[in-house]
Amino acid sequence: HYINNADQAIATTSQAGVDINVAEAWKLTGGDPRVIVAIVDEGVKYTHPDLAANMWVNPNPSPEFGNQDIHGWNFTDDGPITWDQVSVDASGKKEGDSGHGTHVAGTVAAINNNGLGVAGVAGGTGNNDGVRLMSCQILSAKNQPTDYTVSRAIKYAADHGASILQCSYGYQGSGISSDRVYERTAPLEYEAIRYFISQNNCPAMEGGLAIFAAGNEGLSISNYPGGHRSCISVTSVAPDGLPAPYTCYGPGCNIAAPGGETSGLSGGEKAGVLSTLCSEISGSDYGYMQGTSMACPHVSGVAALGLSYALAKGKHFTREEFISMLLTSVNDIDSRFEGSKTSGGTINLEKYRGKMGTGLTDAYQLLMQIEGTPCLKVKTGKLELVTLTKHFGGSAKDLTYMGVEVSAEDMQKLGMAVEPKMYNGQLMIKCTKPGVAHITVKAVGGGNRPGTGSVMGGIEITKTFAVIARETGAENGGWL
């Protein structure tokens, strides 16, 4: 889900590049402790060796919570955070915590480069620089959250500095099919979300982000609250780049991310998402899960990386600007939705086309948008002619080009046998491997050569682009 090299042990149908393209992003930022992500879920195991250093620490624990809200609070039981509660029903069946909150927390910000377990999308570089995780617990054992419980948790996150709500929950099969019905059904939660997104808790962005799982019932509509226009709803793809059979899709769904498919592909559990767990209830501190619950924290982590990079660059965006960048920093998946897929059941792929959101989230593209470097998307194995009109102006085809520069290392990385060149105002390029590279195109504005002391001429124009090569690509270049 971070780096997909088409490993056949995961799935015989794995597609290289069906990942969140985070390895390149990590070369620019691993995260920033000033970015706080609230995990609204089961309690997060804050003592986990792969999470402890990235847990948010409350600088001013409140008497309202007995001064015990160190890393957050258990709003369901109204006590300190728990993660290992188990009960037994009348038939002797055990039920209770599953480690769900700890699992999604690990995907957002498990500590990187510490020689332990797993990495988090925004887990830092191993120098105590990952984003911070706040546990806003709304599930405990078999206790289900109420509208009041959830609203308290979200308000707590807003009042204690969180800028992202990571919410891998939703009202499954509730019959809520419009924003208006949701607002009437859960008025306290809705008001709390409105309150959260109005807070300015991160210097890089006005307002906050509420990111939700789309749902796992395979319905042609997002679950709420994710389906609400103020929230971001995340659908799930498998390692094959196709919809996971369980994912919801359709109206209200905004963006896709890897969520795993442990019950359909040849790799079994290894085709799922590996993250942190609670050894007290699972016997191990790590394990695999699947679901839009697992897709959602990928997008939360990518958003957290984006805010971290914006802080490093001294950039500031409105909430709307940042969401627009997040939802357009994607790779195409729709072009492969043809025919059917059989894995744990047969699904008609064509019904998902245009309904999984804008595309598959891409961390590196988001960072490029933040720094202002344009991305050019190309399909591997195909000679591409990429129009540069929007980058060099309407007369791009009439300009004189001085050449295209690309390092030998980047050429090798993308499998370029021939250097890219300009042809009739278009970039001619062929990549045989998925990956990322930088190229620089030089042109002359106002003549066919640059001016010198003795010859009148034009001004040299230089533009640097990030090339994103993937095995799939939209014919329109990936635009919405």
Side-chain angles (χ1 to χ4, degrees):
H1 44 113
Y2 294 163
I3 305 169
N4 189 340
N5 292 323
D7 187 344
Q8 299 298 288
I10 301 299
T12 56
T13 52
S14 288
Q15 286 288 315
V18 176
D19 52 44
I20 65 169
N21 201 13
V22 73
E24 293 292 333
W26 282 334
K27 295 175 182 178
L28 300 174
T29 182
D32 189 305
R34 290 174 289 177
V35 178
I36 301 171
V37 181
I39 309 296
V40 186
D41 206 298
E42 288 184 4
V44 176
K45 182 179 177 179
Y46 53 78
T47 60
H48 195 293
D50 225 357
L51 296 175
N54 281 347
M55 292 301 302
W56 169 75
V57 178
N58 190 349
N60 299 297
S62 171
E64 178 186 355
F65 304 107
N67 298 320
Q68 296 184 70
D69 57 326
I70 309 300
H71 304 293
W73 191 249
N74 179 344
F75 293 92
T76 297
D77 298 335
D78 202 18
I81 299 164
T82 60
W83 56 80
D84 58 356
Q85 303 301 296
V86 177
S87 60
V88 181
D89 64 18
S91 65
K93 179 183 176 183
K94 286 187 177 181
E95 55 184 9
D97 292 342
S98 65
H100 191 274
T102 300
H103 197 274
V104 301
T107 297
V108 174
I111 303 162
N112 297 342
N113 295 340
N114 62 350
L116 289 176
V118 295
V121 178
T125 64
N127 296 305
N128 199 33
D129 55 353
V131 303
R132 294 303 184 246
L133 300 164
M134 177 190 296
S135 183
C136 295
Q137 186 174 352
I138 61 168
L139 296 158
S140 177
K142 64 178 180 180
N143 295 331
Q144 296 298 308
T146 64
D147 188 29
Y148 176 64
T149 299
V150 177
S151 68
R152 287 185 68 208
I154 293 173
K155 186 176 185 301
Y156 181 94
D159 289 342
H160 289 81
S163 51
I164 297 173
L165 287 179
Q166 156 52 42
C167 304
S168 284
Y169 74 90
Y171 304 123
Q172 302 177 355
S174 61
I176 301 174
S177 58
S178 74
D179 289 4
R180 188 171 299 169
V181 173
Y182 164 68
E183 292 165 13
R184 290 200 304 262
T185 304
L188 298 178
E189 179 186 58
Y190 169 59
E191 286 300 322
I193 291 173
R194 287 186 60 193
Y195 176 70
F196 179 88
I197 64 178
S198 71
Q199 303 305 300
N200 298 323
N201 287 333
C202 177
M205 178 182 66
E206 293 176 21
L209 304 175
I211 304 176
F212 283 81
N216 299 330
E217 301 78 45
L219 301 176
S220 58
I221 186 173
S222 172
N223 282 168
Y224 274 84
H228 193 275
R229 63 188 182 279
S230 62
C231 303
I232 295 169
S233 177
V234 184
T235 61
S236 176
V237 298
D240 56 11
L242 302 176
Y246 54 76
T247 189
C248 289
Y249 60 98
C253 297
N254 305 116
I255 193 169
E261 190 178 338
T262 62
S263 56
L265 301 180
S266 55
E269 69 170 10
K270 290 183 178 180
V273 172
L274 178 63
S275 188
T276 44
L277 278 178
C278 308
S279 57
E280 296 89 341
I281 55 177
S282 63
S284 173
D285 274 333
Y286 302 94
Y288 294 90
M289 288 187 176
Q290 68 171 6
T292 57
S293 284
M294 284 61 252
C296 184
H298 285 84
V299 176
S300 294
V302 168
L305 270 188
L307 290 178
S308 299
Y309 196 52
L311 287 171
K313 290 292 185 180
K315 299 290 186 75
H316 179 81
F317 303 98
T318 66
R319 179 175 176 273
E320 291 72 23
E321 287 171 339
F322 191 86
I323 289 176
S324 293
M325 290 191 297
L326 178 65
L327 296 186
T328 55
S329 296
V330 294
N331 288 308
D332 167 64
I333 49 177
D334 281 352
S335 62
R336 294 188 59 241
F337 293 176
E338 296 180 353
S340 61
K341 169 181 173 177
T342 304
S343 57
T346 300
I347 59 174
N348 176 9
L349 293 172
E350 293 174 12
K351 72 178 182 180
Y352 293 88
R353 192 176 297 151
K355 297 178 181 178
M356 291 285 286
T358 53
L360 182 63
T361 189
D362 186 308
Y364 184 74
Q365 284 189 49
L366 178 59
L367 302 195
M368 290 298 96
Q369 287 211 56
I370 286 168
E371 73 172 35
T373 299
C375 293
L376 305 177
K377 303 175 190 178
V378 300
K379 186 175 181 178
T380 57
K382 178 184 177 183
L383 181 64
E384 296 267 30
L385 288 172
V386 183
T387 301
L388 299 182
T389 302
K390 67 180 180 180
H391 305 292
F392 280 98
S395 299
K397 65 182 179 62
D398 299 320
L399 294 179
T400 297
Y401 291 91
M402 306 292 288
V404 180
E405 296 178 356
V406 59
S407 70
E409 179 185 358
D410 277 355
M411 285 188 62
Q412 183 178 11
K413 185 164 59 172
L414 296 191
M416 297 184 205
V418 178
E419 288 187 3
K421 65 179 182 179
M422 294 301 298
Y423 173 75
N424 197 28
Q426 296 176 303
L427 176 68
M428 184 183 293
I429 184 171
K430 183 175 182 179
C431 304
T432 60
K433 299 177 184 177
V436 168
H438 276 81
I439 65 169
T440 300
V441 179
K442 293 184 176 181
V444 178
N448 57 13
R449 60 181 179 178
T452 67
S454 58
V455 178
M456 182 184 295
I459 298 173
E460 187 173 295
I461 305 167
T462 301
K463 288 272 189 181
T464 298
F465 301 92
V467 175
I468 313 288
R470 286 291 182 265
E471 289 193 359
T472 59
E475 295 302 319
N476 63 356
W479 185 239
L480 302 184

